Amino acid sequence: MTSITRILLNNVTFRLEQTPVAFARINLPFADAKYGIVGKNGVGKTTLMRLLSGDLTPDSGSIQRFGTIITVPQSHDEFGEQATVSDVLGVTDILAALNRISHGSIDEHDYELASNQWNIEQRIEDTLTQFGLWPISLNTPFSQLSGGQKTKVLLAKTMIFPADFLLFDEPTNNLDKTARDVLYNYIDNATKGMAIISHDRTLLNRLDCIIEINNLGIDTYGGNYDFYCEQKQLKQQAIAHEIQARSESLAKTKQTTQTRMERHQQNEARGRKEKRAQISAKGRYDKIAIKSKKGRSENTNRRIRTQADKQLQNAQHLLADAKAKREVDEAIAIDLAATHVPTSKIVLKIETLCFQYPASEPLLRDFELQIIGPERVAISGPNGCGKSTLIKLIRKERLPQRGKIHCGVEVSAYLDQTVSFLNPMKTIVENFLVLNPECTPNDAYATLAAFKFRNKDAEKRSDTLSGGERMRAGLAITLMAKHPPQLIILDEPTNHLDIASIRAIESALSNYQGAILAVSHDEVFLQNIGITRTIYMNEA
């Protein structure tokens, strides 16, 4: 890594009010390298990013910034309803100045704005073309763009205006494969520094360093995501060995203490026996000698107990410290034999499907698809090519102009990234019972526990759940129904989820024995759930 530091955190402490997010005495340098920031949802990744950008000020400590920094936020809410594409790109004033100069302006301020920006119109066109946005009117309201288009505009800004350091918050959310490839190529060839919050494992493997935020603090791993996983696993194994060693040490300490106490009790028993023998032989006993022995015995007893208590407390503290280092990441291991689909069964058959919206070009022209048995099929294509419309047609939310759709299974399930079938005002267990009325509350709690919603966690209201929790709840409710689905349709299920949540979903789906139709740009996720075939849809 280069020695040039772009952002330096010095003993930074910060607490986000009314949240569990808290940083204590952080010391982190960010140089001209590529950093990935990972961690579970709610642990403080975006908070750290806002501290780096200057949007938040630390409670104590300092943050130094050297050079120009551009931020690409995850949320687009900070831009007002009236903001145009030009405003978001930051080119409105420059283009206006260039326009005035072309019409004869000699205003010094116009020339200051246009300084070193004489080719900006060409740079804008070239960059927006890379993302498939050109031609687009720069006066288009930003709020009218799709989520993917908004992200592309923000990414384009970082290419139009060179900066010394870039901050990205989940940049691949809502991006299609083409746009992701543009971003990947940009990251591969960039020489500037950048810090990227992401759950995209393909992106994270292109980076130089992984920074993990967890409940215990911040850990830095010098390498890409795969290296981080290897080192994290070794660290967890070392912690497990330490816990085992501390547990064995505690058990040994208890055994040693027990042995010493038993020996002391045996000595006391011999003393009592000696007293009885004296009385039997002489009709009396030596009170002074016996009293002296009794005093020594009591002192010895206290000393043994004091030493034992100290040793036990020390062993218990060491064990507790070792356990505190452990992170529990449970897999979802469930029996889903009821979802089995015969290998010859036609699960879904689509023939010569055609569809178009009024006053628009056709989205689907003679589209064909057949899923037989427990196949796992992915639908891929650029934003706007008709993937979401195809799902709506399969679910009979839209009617085709021509063609047939035959679903060969009685029960199917649809899971979008928001798990929209959950009633936000009901708890997880209440939603489970509403959608599975034949189940008892005990059945519901037992099922939800298998999906890591134990006891009170099952009683969380749905509108308080994180994205990962919503997806796990949706899988529990659908997969564990009395008549579980033999076809699951997934619509961008990993958007906005942390990596731990994605792994939990992958774990659940690995046990599923039915067919899957998945729309996702997350290639690692598709690989991990066993996709066997990909259907590519192109723009008409």
Side-chain angles (χ1 to χ4, degrees):
M1 293 185 187
T2 179
S3 59
I4 299 176
T5 299
R6 297 300 180 185
I7 305 177
L8 182 62
L9 281 71
N10 299 292
N11 210 30
V12 168
T13 295
F14 181 82
R15 178 178 292 277
L16 195 61
E17 295 298 328
Q18 299 181 334
T19 76
V21 175
F23 300 128
R25 297 179 295 279
I26 299 174
N27 292 284
L28 270 179
F30 289 85
D32 284 336
K34 301 163 189 175
Y35 301 86
I37 300 176
V38 301
K40 294 181 179 179
N41 287 343
V43 79
K45 299 189 296 295
T46 297
T47 298
L48 176 61
M49 186 71 75
R50 294 183 65 196
L51 285 166
L52 296 177
S53 69
D55 287 344
L56 294 175
T57 303
D59 298 332
S60 64
S62 64
I63 301 177
Q64 296 173 277
R65 301 173 187 85
F66 308 92
T68 307
I69 298 173
I70 291 180
T71 302
V72 179
Q74 179 180 0
S75 172
H76 304 140
D77 296 339
E78 65 182 75
F79 303 103
E81 286 292 321
Q82 303 305 314
T84 65
V85 170
S86 178
D87 295 333
V88 173
L89 288 175
V91 299
T92 301
D93 291 342
I94 298 171
L95 292 176
L98 288 171
N99 183 59
R100 288 191 294 271
I101 291 171
S102 69
H103 285 82
S105 171
I106 57 173
D107 189 306
E108 183 178 342
H109 181 60
D110 285 341
Y111 280 87
E112 287 178 0
L113 286 170
S115 177
N116 300 320
Q117 303 293 345
W118 301 106
N119 68 339
I120 193 168
E121 292 178 328
Q122 188 61 52
R123 298 205 316 270
I124 292 170
E125 180 178 340
D126 290 346
T127 305
L128 294 180
T129 297
Q130 287 187 67
F131 284 106
L133 292 173
W134 192 263
I136 184 175
S137 171
L138 297 182
N139 294 321
T140 302
F142 187 68
S143 60
Q144 292 183 7
L145 303 182
S146 69
Q149 289 173 323
K150 289 177 179 177
T151 301
K152 291 176 184 179
V153 170
L154 291 168
L155 292 173
K157 180 179 179 179
T158 71
M159 301 182 185
I160 294 169
F161 292 103
D164 297 305
F165 199 88
L166 302 175
L167 300 172
F168 295 98
D169 193 351
E170 297 288 5
T172 57
N173 275 2
N174 303 310
L175 290 188
D176 56 35
K177 185 179 186 303
T178 300
R180 286 188 183 214
D181 287 342
V182 171
L183 176 63
Y184 295 157
N185 185 63
Y186 176 67
I187 290 171
D188 289 343
N189 294 303
T191 56
K192 65 189 69 177
M194 56 186 69
I196 307 174
I197 296 173
S198 183
H199 64 262
D200 182 341
R201 289 161 286 187
T202 301
L203 184 156
L204 292 170
N205 266 329
R206 294 176 139 80
L207 308 182
D208 306 313
C209 181
I210 300 297
I211 297 172
E212 181 196 61
I213 305 176
N214 53 57
N215 294 329
L216 304 176
I218 294 179
D219 296 321
T220 302
Y221 297 81
N224 65 8
Y225 180 75
D226 285 345
F227 178 82
Y228 152 75
C229 289
E230 292 170 4
Q231 294 302 306
K232 183 70 180 289
Q233 184 176 12
L234 290 174
K235 180 179 178 181
Q236 292 302 311
Q237 288 173 350
I239 291 171
H241 291 151
E242 182 183 358
I243 291 172
Q244 182 179 354
R246 298 301 185 193
S247 298
E248 291 173 355
S249 176
L250 177 60
K252 186 177 180 180
T253 300
K254 288 180 178 179
Q255 181 61 44
T256 301
T257 301
Q258 181 67 26
T259 300
R260 291 186 66 189
M261 291 301 297
E262 288 175 354
R263 286 176 181 172
H264 181 65
Q265 288 167 2
Q266 289 171 0
N267 290 335
E268 286 184 322
R270 279 196 295 271
R272 289 192 294 270
K273 185 177 180 181
E274 180 183 339
K275 177 181 176 181
R276 288 194 298 271
Q278 287 181 10
I279 293 172
S280 176
K282 301 178 181 180
R284 60 183 177 83
Y285 63 93
D286 188 340
K287 292 183 179 181
I288 295 175
I290 295 298
K291 187 175 182 180
S292 176
K293 289 182 179 179
K294 180 179 180 183
R296 289 197 301 272
S297 175
E298 288 175 349
N299 289 335
T300 302
N301 191 38
R302 281 194 297 270
R303 187 173 65 253
I304 291 173
R305 289 192 178 279
T306 299
Q307 291 175 346
D309 288 343
K310 287 182 179 179
Q311 291 172 344
L312 283 173
Q313 286 177 6
N314 184 53
Q316 288 167 345
H317 287 156
L318 290 172
L319 177 58
D321 289 343
K323 287 184 175 179
K325 301 175 187 176
R326 179 178 57 189
E327 293 181 55
V328 179
D329 187 14
E330 302 171 272
I332 297 176
I334 46 177
D335 181 10
L336 291 173
T339 61
H340 175 72
V341 175
T343 55
S344 60
K345 186 176 184 62
I346 296 178
V347 175
L348 182 67
K349 187 172 184 178
I350 301 175
E351 301 176 278
T352 60
L353 184 66
C354 296
F355 182 85
Q356 70 180 95
Y357 290 101
S360 299
E361 291 294 319
L363 269 180
L364 298 167
R365 291 176 175 170
D366 295 326
F367 181 83
E368 305 268 345
L369 172 64
Q370 185 167 267
I371 297 177
I372 300 176
E375 276 195 287
R376 301 189 170 205
V377 179
I379 301 292
S380 180
N383 292 339
C385 71
K387 300 187 297 295
S388 296
T389 299
L390 174 62
I391 289 177
K392 290 177 181 178
L393 290 165
I394 294 172
R395 300 185 66 231
K396 300 182 180 178
E397 294 179 3
R398 300 278 183 183
L399 295 176
Q401 275 84 39
R402 184 163 62 85
K404 296 180 180 179
I405 301 175
H406 169 70
C407 188
V409 295
E410 292 184 6
V411 184
S412 63
Y414 171 67
L415 289 172
D416 60 0
Q417 58 188 276
T418 64
V419 194
S420 51
F421 67 74
L422 290 176
N423 185 329
M425 305 307 293
K426 293 184 180 297
T427 65
I428 304 174
V429 72
E430 287 171 344
N431 271 293
F432 188 99
L433 292 170
V434 167
L435 296 166
N436 298 287
E438 70 283 354
C439 291
T440 67
N442 285 340
D443 292 334
Y445 277 104
T447 297
L448 293 172
F451 281 79
K452 300 165 66 175
F453 293 110
R454 295 185 177 87
N455 304 319
K456 292 293 183 182
D457 285 342
E459 296 169 9
K460 289 182 179 179
R461 216 169 72 168
S462 296
D463 61 353
T464 68
L465 301 178
S466 68
E469 288 173 329
R470 292 183 68 84
M471 188 59 64
R472 272 194 288 125
L475 287 169
I477 290 168
T478 54
L479 294 182
M480 304 305 288
K482 184 176 181 180
H483 301 289
Q486 293 182 304
L487 168 65
I488 293 180
I489 300 172
L490 301 171
D491 188 1
E492 296 291 0
T494 63
N495 268 8
H496 311 295
L497 301 189
D498 57 47
I499 295 175
S501 297
I502 294 173
R503 284 176 171 167
I505 294 167
E506 292 170 350
S507 174
L509 292 176
S510 68
N511 295 282
Y512 178 65
Q513 298 183 35
I516 292 176
L517 179 64
V519 173
S520 176
H521 299 297
D522 187 336
E523 295 182 359
V524 177
F525 170 75
L526 294 175
Q527 178 181 344
N528 287 348
I529 65 170
I531 291 296
T532 54
R533 183 160 54 105
T534 300
I535 305 297
Y536 295 95
M537 297 178 64
N538 297 316
E539 291 183 287

